[in-house]
Amino acid sequence: MAGPAGDPTAGSDFLQLDIRQAPRGARTEWLAARLRAAIADGTLPVGSRLPAGRVLAAELRVSRGLVTEAYQRLAETGQIAGRGRAGTVVVAAPPPAPTDPAGPTVPAGRGGLVDALRAVPCRIDLSPGVPDLTAFPRTAWLQAERRVLAALTPGDFGYGNPQGAPALREAVAGWLARNRGIRADPAEVIVVAGVAQALWLLARVLPEAGVRRVAVEDPGSLGAREQLEHSGLDTVGVPVDGAGLDVAALRASGAGAALVTPAHQFPTGVVLDGERRRELLAWAAAGGLVLEDDYDAEHRYDRAPVPALRALLPEQVCYAGSVSKLLAPALRLGWLLVPERLRDRVVAEKRFADLGNPVLAQLVLARLMESGELERHLRFVRRRHRRRRDAMLRAIGSELPGARVHGAAAGLHLMVTFDGAGFADTDLATAALGLGVKAHPLSWHRMRPGPPGLILGYAAGPAGESEEGVALLGQALRVLTAKPSAPCRPGPSGT
Amino acid sequence: MAGPAGDPTAGSDFLQLDIRQAPRGARTEWLAARLRAAIADGTLPVGSRLPAGRVLAAELRVSRGLVTEAYQRLAETGQIAGRGRAGTVVVAAPPPAPTDPAGPTVPAGRGGLVDALRAVPCRIDLSPGVPDLTAFPRTAWLQAERRVLAALTPGDFGYGNPQGAPALREAVAGWLARNRGIRADPAEVIVVAGVAQALWLLARVLPEAGVRRVAVEDPGSLGAREQLEHSGLDTVGVPVDGAGLDVAALRASGAGAALVTPAHQFPTGVVLDGERRRELLAWAAAGGLVLEDDYDAEHRYDRAPVPALRALLPEQVCYAGSVSKLLAPALRLGWLLVPERLRDRVVAEKRFADLGNPVLAQLVLARLMESGELERHLRFVRRRHRRRRDAMLRAIGSELPGARVHGAAAGLHLMVTFDGAGFADTDLATAALGLGVKAHPLSWHRMRPGPPGLILGYAAGPAGESEEGVALLGQALRVLTAKPSAPCRPGPSGT
């Protein structure tokens, strides 16, 4: 159990506090923030008792004064109060974010869906694409930043190179060589604000390169498709099956470029198999442009790494990656490699868009990459993600008996389909949201019809959360399928 | 004298070292970096002697071991060497950036000029628009970041609000109220990657608002004009005279929007006077859209602050500002206010461009604004900038006798014109670059012809540098005007 219901004075275990995450010199602030978060998310509901100061201090191995001070801060903002013999009690939760009085719904239409859902409050968020954020290496980041600030010359604080800081471009080249089998010169690396900006920059230059229609995977990322369409490009869906993108269908589509996720297809989790890789590269060698979105390739559990397509055909493959799944999406920091003939134009677009990424964070990331700190972090979160995936798989087995699981060997999410079921997955997602659980309906990421399904992220939440989330999904599913429903209408998708 | 030529073992004075700028825990690294920079920029030329370790340690009030360690690092990279009784001597400078073998030239054409010049190496950089970067508050920044990292919840590391972190939007609203007379609700503030991105976002939505032609000031910022034109908008120059933008000419131009710098016109330094402000606001009230670029309004010396136009007519004024001139351009962080009817569209464009600015730096800046640290910093650099401006004015008086100075009461640069002179200012800038001094020719920022001139930034360099730069400009001018030249061709500009 993640909550304190069983024993409200049990101590700090249920709070998941790890004092090693607290930056030195700001541990009081850290503890107060953690307690506030626990009150906000219901871990410490109104009326529950906080652990006695001396108990929490002993468990965290900090001074009792530090705990008293943190409690004092929450008392000042009216969230907790001393109740004599009853100890210290939660008296008020922060006001919840406003919601629609009729309750949140998950729409079946299109346009900004992912953003809209992101803004809806919930208790358990199983949205895909977010790594374990409690593991963000705060101390290592701050140490690296201290060193960066010490070594910066005044000129480094001025207008930088729009293509990116040379130190980061070099570090990224090393990272790609070690982790993705790509040999790139630092001069080829363009630093961008994440894969979303990489796609946006590509969309600006593709028409000049003769490309107006881009093939996207179906199912495939709704956000990426919206990104391309917003920039005025046509998109055409190409089916994905158990071996990956159907290259024959790509050939028939007439598209000049293809956006693909070969290492871990989103959302199905399929790895593009050897024969399809060869076919796709032959299509590219004959003039097609591959846009390789390598969004979470570093996270794999039960299979060998798959080298990036970029490694094999650099003159026909644009390659984008980021730290969003390695460290945190909030950093807005990634990289883009493009064929040499497109590079100057892409850098010019980056320059006009924002004059280049902020310099400090670039140099901090370069240090974390060069020092091996980022690889250590990756090994650490990989173990943790694997445990959470296994827990979610067990929960699906017991709570969602009709669900088929896809693509669990890598990444930060898995996909379930309810083959042959007759309900709409947006209705299932809406029912789940009513129970406090957020998940993407598969139909959002589909262009052709197919069986209902859900995309379930397991990496972001604390241990135990995804099991609880899946149990609530099971509850939503039982409510939904108990209703009279339309006759079963299975779709043609083979994923 | 800034160099050690007079007394090569005089100590640390000529190095402009201030140990208070060194972040705690990384002072050795800081000292080594400063010494490396001094070798790179010629302050410590090859063959010069470093101060004895105990002398430098005493002057900086640090341990001798710290200085020894810093020297050791430079010895390891081959830049300095012990020479027995001769002390420690600079033996190698880092290789200079590659330059064209025929020598750099300042082109008279257009397109990416500012960027091209930025990439050219030089010894003294008088480019406009850069504050004193040695003053960047490294310690305060790092302390604020420590607190931010301590208080962040895991969710804060995820995908953020594309409009900007609520804490920063609130802090910016307070900043604008205190410093620019603008009353804005935090919900109106859009966090952007500097004024360049603000213009870019506006350019994306103006056509939908019925605006395809934008008036720009003449003279006016070349970079801003390029930004608008790159986005497909037409620009039309409207003359600036001693009272600011000629609003009658604006009316006649047929432009639907006008990009203006009313608080400190770039590059002339003129303040839009009371009558012109009224005329411009009347033009806006009749349907014109004002794009107010408030790029350096916080820096003023000899005059009262001028409230922003946005304060008077929020429904017809878009307002953009940034920390580029307050703290450092490398942070790529600014703000944009737009009339309510445009806000959702601008935020949508920001979302597609990069999903929002990186979160950490937003929260750090919010803390610096809320704590008063940023205002303290502004007061500190304002005093320093004023001294440097006064020094440059004195140098111009003695070294450039034919030059007329414009707009010195505020900002980070001044403009000089050589009224009635017959040379091209690009030739003067080229001759100066040959002597190691970089400055923008005025003609770059003009659309109609006018007298030659230069834009001279005085804020960025260390004390003494701008005087030396102006002396070299005087030398370049004498060389240029000694040549046989075309007959004098004064232009019509009244600035």
Side-chain angles (χ1 to χ4, degrees):
Chain A
M1 281 300 289
D7 179 2
T9 54
S12 67
D13 276 7
F14 69 92
L15 290 170
Q16 301 252 337
L17 293 172
D18 181 353
I19 195 71
R20 286 168 305 180
Q21 291 172 3
R24 252 167 288 172
R27 300 199 297 182
T28 307
E29 206 144 345
W30 173 87
L31 179 58
R34 290 292 86 73
L35 292 170
R36 268 195 206 99
I39 295 172
D41 70 11
T43 306
L44 280 172
V46 173
S48 65
R49 242 157 82 189
L50 267 68
R54 68 185 156 67
V55 172
L56 188 54
E59 287 184 4
L60 295 176
R61 301 187 186 189
V62 298
S63 73
R64 193 168 163 187
L66 191 153
V67 175
T68 307
E69 168 73 18
Y71 280 12
Q72 184 60 32
R73 295 204 188 169
L74 270 75
E76 282 163 8
T77 51
Q79 286 163 290
I80 64 174
R83 287 282 179 264
R85 292 207 154 202
T88 305
V89 173
V90 177
V91 290
T99 55
D100 191 286
T105 61
V106 174
R110 281 179 48 196
L113 290 178
V114 177
D115 278 1
L117 187 66
R118 203 172 273 152
V120 175
C122 71
R123 203 161 60 78
I124 297 179
D125 191 349
L126 302 181
S127 297
V130 179
D132 178 1
L133 298 174
T134 63
F136 185 86
R138 299 169 196 237
T139 304
W141 183 273
L142 203 60
Q143 268 171 6
E145 179 143 343
R146 179 181 299 121
R147 285 169 197 279
V148 163
L149 278 170
L152 275 190
T153 65
D156 292 329
F157 288 107
Y159 290 96
N161 185 330
Q163 189 178 341
L168 179 57
R169 288 193 273 137
E170 195 162 316
V172 167
W175 175 267
L176 293 176
R178 292 194 301 279
N179 291 282
R180 302 299 298 124
I182 295 174
R183 294 177 67 128
D185 191 276
E188 294 176 57
V189 177
I190 303 167
V191 176
V192 295
V195 172
Q197 187 177 61
L199 285 181
W200 183 88
L201 293 169
L202 289 171
R204 302 276 298 176
V205 305
L206 287 179
E208 286 175 37
V211 176
R212 302 208 160 265
R213 170 182 277 198
V214 179
V216 295
E217 298 166 322
D218 182 16
S221 162
L222 170 67
R225 181 155 40 104
E226 286 178 341
Q227 189 81 11
L228 296 173
E229 288 171 358
H230 177 78
S231 301
L233 293 168
D234 284 339
T235 61
V236 51
V238 170
V240 170
D241 60 26
L245 189 79
D246 179 343
V247 181
L250 169 62
R251 263 190 236 106
S253 74
L259 174 62
V260 292
T261 49
H264 183 242
Q265 204 273 331
F266 185 88
T268 66
V270 165
V271 180
L272 192 67
D273 82 1
E275 189 169 333
R276 292 284 177 84
R277 284 171 75 88
R278 284 189 293 277
E279 285 179 42
L280 182 59
L281 289 168
W283 173 82
L289 193 64
V290 172
L291 315 181
E292 181 173 23
D293 177 357
D294 206 33
Y295 66 106
D296 71 356
E298 294 90 352
H299 300 283
R300 59 192 161 67
Y301 314 107
D302 312 321
R303 60 170 172 79
V306 184
L309 291 174
R310 166 81 190 185
L312 302 169
L313 197 60
E315 61 273 27
Q316 288 300 112
V317 179
C318 302
Y319 173 92
S322 82
V323 298
S324 294
K325 276 70 175 171
L326 278 170
L327 282 168
L331 297 174
R332 309 306 318 126
L333 195 46
W335 40 87
L336 173 62
L337 305 175
V338 299
E340 198 182 340
R341 64 188 180 281
L342 300 179
R343 200 186 310 149
D344 287 352
R345 280 288 294 119
V346 171
V347 172
E349 289 299 331
K350 172 69 178 162
R351 186 208 159 286
F352 278 110
D354 55 21
L355 301 185
N357 261 59
V359 173
L360 277 183
Q362 289 188 63
L363 298 180
V364 171
L365 177 62
R367 276 206 176 241
L368 295 179
M369 282 178 157
E370 297 284 12
S371 66
E373 193 71 52
L374 189 60
E375 259 130 342
R376 268 194 295 282
H377 175 72
L378 177 59
R379 283 194 299 273
F380 172 75
V381 292
R382 196 186 277 153
R383 283 193 299 274
R384 197 182 265 202
H385 289 162
R386 182 194 199 114
R387 281 198 300 274
R388 292 185 185 171
R389 178 202 60 163
D390 293 345
M392 183 179 262
L393 286 172
R394 281 192 301 272
I396 290 171
S398 61
E399 304 285 343
L400 299 174
R404 191 150 67 96
V405 174
H406 310 250
L412 305 173
H413 71 271
L414 47 81
M415 180 174 93
V416 295
T417 52
F418 301 91
D419 301 351
F423 59 84
D425 52 20
T426 48
D427 289 342
L428 176 57
T430 296
L433 202 53
L435 298 173
V437 180
K438 203 184 277 187
H440 283 202
L442 171 57
S443 58
W444 278 8
H445 301 282
R446 275 191 193 287
M447 298 174 83
R448 295 163 308 138
L454 295 172
I455 323 291
L456 302 175
Y458 49 75
E465 194 178 82
S466 73
E467 295 95 303
E468 198 185 340
V470 170
L472 289 165
L473 287 175
Q475 201 176 317
L477 183 64
R478 285 189 292 277
V479 170
L480 191 72
T481 50
K483 286 184 194 169
S485 70
C488 166
R489 187 174 43 85
S493 166
T495 63
Chain B
M1 283 295 292
D7 178 3
T9 55
S12 68
D13 276 7
F14 68 94
L15 290 172
Q16 303 251 336
L17 294 173
D18 180 352
I19 195 71
R20 287 168 305 182
Q21 292 172 2
R24 252 167 290 173
R27 301 199 297 183
T28 307
E29 208 145 345
W30 174 86
L31 179 58
R34 290 291 87 73
L35 293 170
R36 269 196 205 97
I39 295 172
D41 70 12
T43 307
L44 280 173
V46 172
S48 65
R49 242 156 82 187
L50 266 69
R54 69 186 155 69
V55 172
L56 188 54
E59 289 185 2
L60 293 177
R61 301 186 188 191
V62 299
S63 73
R64 192 167 165 188
L66 190 153
V67 175
T68 307
E69 169 71 17
Y71 280 12
Q72 183 60 33
R73 294 204 189 168
L74 272 76
E76 281 162 8
T77 51
Q79 286 164 291
I80 64 173
R83 286 284 180 265
R85 293 206 152 204
T88 305
V89 174
V90 177
V91 291
T99 55
D100 192 286
T105 61
V106 175
R110 281 178 49 196
L113 290 178
V114 177
D115 278 1
L117 187 66
R118 203 173 273 152
V120 175
C122 72
R123 201 160 62 78
I124 297 179
D125 191 348
L126 302 181
S127 298
V130 180
D132 179 0
L133 298 175
T134 63
F136 185 86
R138 299 168 196 238
T139 304
W141 183 273
L142 203 60
Q143 268 170 6
E145 179 143 344
R146 179 181 300 118
R147 285 168 198 281
V148 163
L149 278 170
L152 275 191
T153 64
D156 293 329
F157 288 107
Y159 290 95
N161 185 329
Q163 189 179 340
L168 179 58
R169 287 193 274 137
E170 195 162 316
V172 166
W175 176 266
L176 293 176
R178 293 194 300 279
N179 290 281
R180 304 297 299 123
I182 295 174
R183 294 177 68 126
D185 191 275
E188 295 176 57
V189 177
I190 304 166
V191 176
V192 295
V195 171
Q197 187 177 61
L199 285 181
W200 182 89
L201 293 169
L202 289 172
R204 302 276 297 177
V205 305
L206 287 180
E208 285 173 39
V211 176
R212 302 208 160 264
R213 171 183 277 197
V214 179
V216 295
E217 298 167 321
D218 182 16
S221 162
L222 170 66
R225 180 155 40 104
E226 287 178 340
Q227 189 81 10
L228 296 173
E229 289 172 358
H230 177 78
S231 301
L233 293 168
D234 284 339
T235 62
V236 51
V238 169
V240 171
D241 60 26
L245 189 80
D246 180 343
V247 181
L250 168 61
R251 263 190 237 104
S253 73
L259 174 62
V260 293
T261 49
H264 184 241
Q265 204 272 331
F266 184 88
T268 66
V270 165
V271 180
L272 192 67
D273 82 2
E275 191 169 331
R276 293 284 177 85
R277 283 171 76 87
R278 285 189 291 278
E279 286 179 41
L280 182 59
L281 289 168
W283 172 82
L289 193 65
V290 172
L291 316 181
E292 181 172 24
D293 177 357
D294 206 33
Y295 67 107
D296 71 357
E298 294 90 352
H299 300 283
R300 60 191 161 69
Y301 314 108
D302 312 321
R303 60 170 172 79
V306 184
L309 292 174
R310 166 81 191 185
L312 303 169
L313 197 61
E315 62 273 26
Q316 288 299 114
V317 179
C318 302
Y319 174 92
S322 82
V323 298
S324 295
K325 275 71 174 171
L326 279 171
L327 282 169
L331 297 174
R332 309 306 317 127
L333 196 45
W335 40 87
L336 172 63
L337 305 175
V338 299
E340 199 182 341
R341 63 188 180 281
L342 299 178
R343 201 186 310 150
D344 286 353
R345 281 287 295 120
V346 171
V347 172
E349 288 298 332
K350 172 70 178 164
R351 185 209 160 285
F352 277 110
D354 55 21
L355 300 185
N357 261 59
V359 173
L360 276 183
Q362 290 189 64
L363 298 179
V364 172
L365 177 62
R367 278 207 174 238
L368 295 179
M369 283 178 156
E370 297 284 12
S371 66
E373 193 72 52
L374 190 59
E375 259 130 342
R376 270 194 294 282
H377 176 71
L378 177 59
R379 285 194 297 273
F380 172 76
V381 292
R382 196 186 275 154
R383 285 194 297 275
R384 199 183 262 201
H385 289 161
R386 182 192 199 117
R387 282 198 300 275
R388 291 185 185 171
R389 178 201 62 162
D390 294 344
M392 184 180 261
L393 286 172
R394 282 192 300 273
I396 290 171
S398 62
E399 303 285 343
L400 299 174
R404 190 150 68 95
V405 174
H406 309 250
L412 306 173
H413 72 271
L414 47 80
M415 179 174 95
V416 296
T417 53
F418 301 92
D419 301 351
F423 60 84
D425 53 19
T426 48
D427 289 343
L428 177 56
T430 297
L433 204 52
L435 298 173
V437 181
K438 203 184 278 189
H440 283 200
L442 171 56
S443 58
W444 277 9
H445 302 282
R446 274 191 193 288
M447 298 174 83
R448 294 163 309 138
L454 294 173
I455 323 292
L456 302 175
Y458 50 74
E465 194 178 83
S466 73
E467 296 96 303
E468 199 186 337
V470 171
L472 290 166
L473 287 175
Q475 201 176 316
L477 184 64
R478 285 189 292 278
V479 170
L480 191 72
T481 50
K483 284 185 195 168
S485 70
C488 168
R489 186 175 44 87
S493 165
T495 64

